[in-house]
Amino acid sequence: MTIVKLPGLKDLIESISRERNLPKHSVKEALREALLKGYERYRRTQNMDRRHFDDNYFDNLEVELDVEEEGFRVLATKSIVEKVSNPDHEIALDEVKEVVEEAQLSDTVVLDVTPDQGEFGRMAAIQTKQVLSQKLRDQQRKLIQEEFQDLEGTVLQARVLRFERQSVILAVKSNFDQPEVEAELPKREQLPNDNYRANATFKVFLKKVREGPQRGPQLLVSRASAGLVVYLFANEVPEIEDEVVRIVAVAREANPPSRSLGPRTKIAVDTLERDVDPVGACIGARGSRIQVVVNELRGEKIDVIRWSPDPATYIQNSLSPARVEQVRLVNPEGRQAHILVTEDQLSLAIGKEGQNVRLAARLTGWKIDIKDIAKYDAAAEDQKIAEAIAKGQAASMDAQTGDSVRIYSLDDDTEETDYDEDTSVPEDEE
């Protein structure tokens, strides 16, 4: 059988495998596909009179890679016919019978159609090189997807490689035995207190494994995700890992709207064990456990609070470190609460630029209004809430009436009925 020599093929495969962190069988597969595309280009130049080739025209071709002899062959599957109309897909019965006596019409044969060493052509070689590069990238993407797909939502150790625009390109591993791959840390997922110098190491949260032929790293990681805080506490607090203490909710503002504010997180914890203090377990003796988390997040302020099934108690705890005098659930259906504090606690409850109350609202899912208890008029506030609820219901009914479907009676032209599909009042958005 004819063979097109590729000197150094064995060393080439080993080199690509090592440089691209790909198994040898993946490199061979990419090379086979590239050589097939190169041969297709060669056949197109040989058939210039045939201006159009169907997408599946070359599906009967196959490349056989011979690593030991350092070369390749091209094989074609052809149908046996009486009279040949397409030599790329067909072969005459008489021609086959010269070799195989028992050959019959409609049978198929596999033929060696490898071109001579010098016939492959410069353009076919260029096509092969271009396709090989693309196929190797495809193999890398496929390998990364398989390797990291099950790791979405987990935390990885990362090392800074370089910077691209506002993103940081990191090197991450799925485990100790696997090579490093690149991951992107976009600007919005970075922490303002981090120092992303070359070779600096960080823990990052794997948000997404991208799919498709997009350029750049496939892994999207984050330092601003609440999932990173959950992981750090679970890793540092044995009671969480043993499921004695559970994390109920997390509200994080890793990139505050103002530069004067620092990153801050509120985390609500709970336990079913009477003898266990979930907040104390997370903080540790003299703050030893929470300090490890704070250090990893470069000094981010973290409030650990006790979750409660009672909304009033939960809201009161969420406004820590402020001291709350009273919590009034003025509109339970709309999840709206008034928090009464003394004048000296007012600024602490609200927080700098509203950060404390903003995080408390996210943590609890309630709309929170901080009020000075000395100036609070409960009756007047209740009246305002009642009027607001009534106004909201009226507006909702008007909107629904405007969109209603009118159904007229067939018996009496003067009778009509308004049919409303939904008369529920939407809850206030947080």
Side-chain angles (χ1 to χ4, degrees), residues 324-326 339-343 346 370-378:
V324 175
E325 298 297 323
Q326 185 182 353
I339 313 303
L340 309 184
V341 298
T342 57
E343 186 178 0
L346 197 59
I370 309 295
K371 305 285 186 178
D372 185 345
I373 191 170
K375 301 177 181 178
Y376 188 77
D377 186 338

Side-chain angles (χ1 to χ4, degrees), residues 332-377:
E333 291 186 1
R335 298 178 70 83
Q336 186 175 356
H338 286 177
I339 313 303
L340 309 184
V341 298
T342 57
E343 186 178 0
D344 62 315
Q345 294 292 306
L346 197 59
S347 60
L348 187 60
I350 295 173
K352 190 175 183 180
E353 298 185 23
Q355 188 182 53
N356 190 56
V357 68
R358 188 164 58 244
L359 285 172
R362 293 178 189 172
L363 189 72
T364 61
W366 282 71
K367 183 179 179 181
I368 298 174
D369 292 326
I370 309 295
K371 305 285 186 178
D372 185 345
I373 191 170
K375 301 177 181 178
Y376 188 77
D377 186 338

Side-chain angles (χ1 to χ4, degrees), residues 226-239:
L228 179 59
V229 179
V230 172
Y231 168 85
L232 293 174
F233 271 104
N235 192 56
E236 196 62 34
V237 182
E239 290 86 349

Side-chain angles (χ1 to χ4, degrees), residues 25-44:
H25 69 83
S26 296
V27 178
K28 291 177 184 178
E29 181 61 29
L31 186 55
R32 267 193 293 267
E33 293 184 36
L35 288 169
L36 183 57
K37 290 296 182 183
Y39 181 78
E40 288 180 13
R41 179 60 181 266
Y42 160 74
R43 288 299 297 148
R44 289 173 190 271

Side-chain angles (χ1 to χ4, degrees), residues 20-23 25-26 29-30 33 134-150 181 209-214 218-219:
R20 302 232 179 191
N21 297 322
L22 287 170
H25 69 83
S26 296
E29 181 61 29
E33 293 184 36
Q134 179 61 46
K135 294 299 180 182
L136 288 173
R137 286 195 295 268
D138 291 345
Q139 290 286 358
Q140 283 181 303
R141 280 193 285 266
K142 182 180 177 182
L143 194 67
I144 291 172
Q145 287 174 11
E146 293 174 352
E147 185 180 349
F148 288 90
Q149 201 73 57
D150 294 336
V181 300
V209 179
R210 296 166 172 161
E211 297 181 1
Q214 77 288 331
Q218 287 175 268
L219 306 182

Side-chain angles (χ1 to χ4, degrees), residues 391-404:
K391 187 176 180 181
Q393 289 175 337
S396 177
M397 291 298 292
D398 288 344
Q400 292 175 42
T401 301
D403 296 335
S404 62

Side-chain angles (χ1 to χ4, degrees), residues 135-351:
K135 294 299 180 182
L136 288 173
R137 286 195 295 268
D138 291 345
Q139 290 286 358
Q140 283 181 303
R141 280 193 285 266
K142 182 180 177 182
L143 194 67
I144 291 172
Q145 287 174 11
E146 293 174 352
E147 185 180 349
F148 288 90
Q149 201 73 57
D150 294 336
L151 295 177
E152 279 190 2
T154 63
V155 172
L156 305 171
Q157 188 72 24
R159 178 174 59 87
V160 176
L161 292 178
R162 64 183 185 276
F163 304 91
E164 291 184 0
R165 297 178 182 175
Q166 291 187 315
S167 294
V168 181
I169 306 302
L170 307 166
V172 298
K173 286 184 178 183
S174 59
N175 57 56
F176 291 110
D177 297 329
Q178 295 296 324
E180 292 181 331
V181 300
E182 292 186 353
E184 181 184 2
L185 180 66
K187 177 67 175 178
R188 65 181 180 276
E189 302 294 346
Q190 300 170 19
L191 294 183
N193 295 336
D194 279 342
N195 182 10
Y196 298 105
R197 65 185 187 281
N199 293 318
T201 58
F202 299 91
K203 286 185 174 67
V204 294
F205 183 80
L206 180 57
K207 290 191 72 173
K208 186 177 182 182
V209 179
R210 296 166 172 161
E211 297 181 1
Q214 77 288 331
R215 296 180 179 180
Q218 287 175 268
L219 306 182
L220 180 66
V221 296
S222 172
R223 289 275 293 167
S225 173
L228 179 59
V229 179
V230 172
Y231 168 85
L232 293 174
F233 271 104
N235 192 56
E236 196 62 34
V237 182
E239 290 86 349
I240 295 178
E241 186 176 359
D242 296 338
E243 298 183 352
V244 175
V245 173
R246 66 187 181 111
I247 298 174
V248 181
V250 178
R252 190 179 185 200
E253 196 169 78
N255 289 290
S258 172
R259 291 185 178 182
S260 62
L261 294 176
R264 187 171 180 179
T265 294
K266 285 183 180 288
I267 179 169
V269 295
D270 189 34
T271 182
L272 297 177
E273 302 290 336
R274 291 185 177 182
D275 298 333
V276 176
D277 175 13
V279 175
C282 293
I283 294 175
R286 298 181 181 178
S288 58
R289 291 176 176 176
I290 196 172
Q291 192 58 49
V292 174
V293 179
V294 169
N295 291 342
E296 174 62 35
L297 299 178
R298 303 302 187 265
E300 182 169 326
K301 187 174 181 181
I302 300 176
D303 301 328
V304 182
I305 65 110
R306 178 71 184 265
W307 178 84
S308 173
D310 174 44
T313 303
Y314 186 27
I315 293 171
Q316 180 174 341
N317 294 343
S318 72
L319 288 166
S320 173
R323 187 176 65 254
V324 175
E325 298 297 323
Q326 185 182 353
V327 176
R328 298 190 71 233
L329 306 181
V330 293
N331 182 10
E333 291 186 1
R335 298 178 70 83
Q336 186 175 356
H338 286 177
I339 313 303
L340 309 184
V341 298
T342 57
E343 186 178 0
D344 62 315
Q345 294 292 306
L346 197 59
S347 60
L348 187 60
I350 295 173

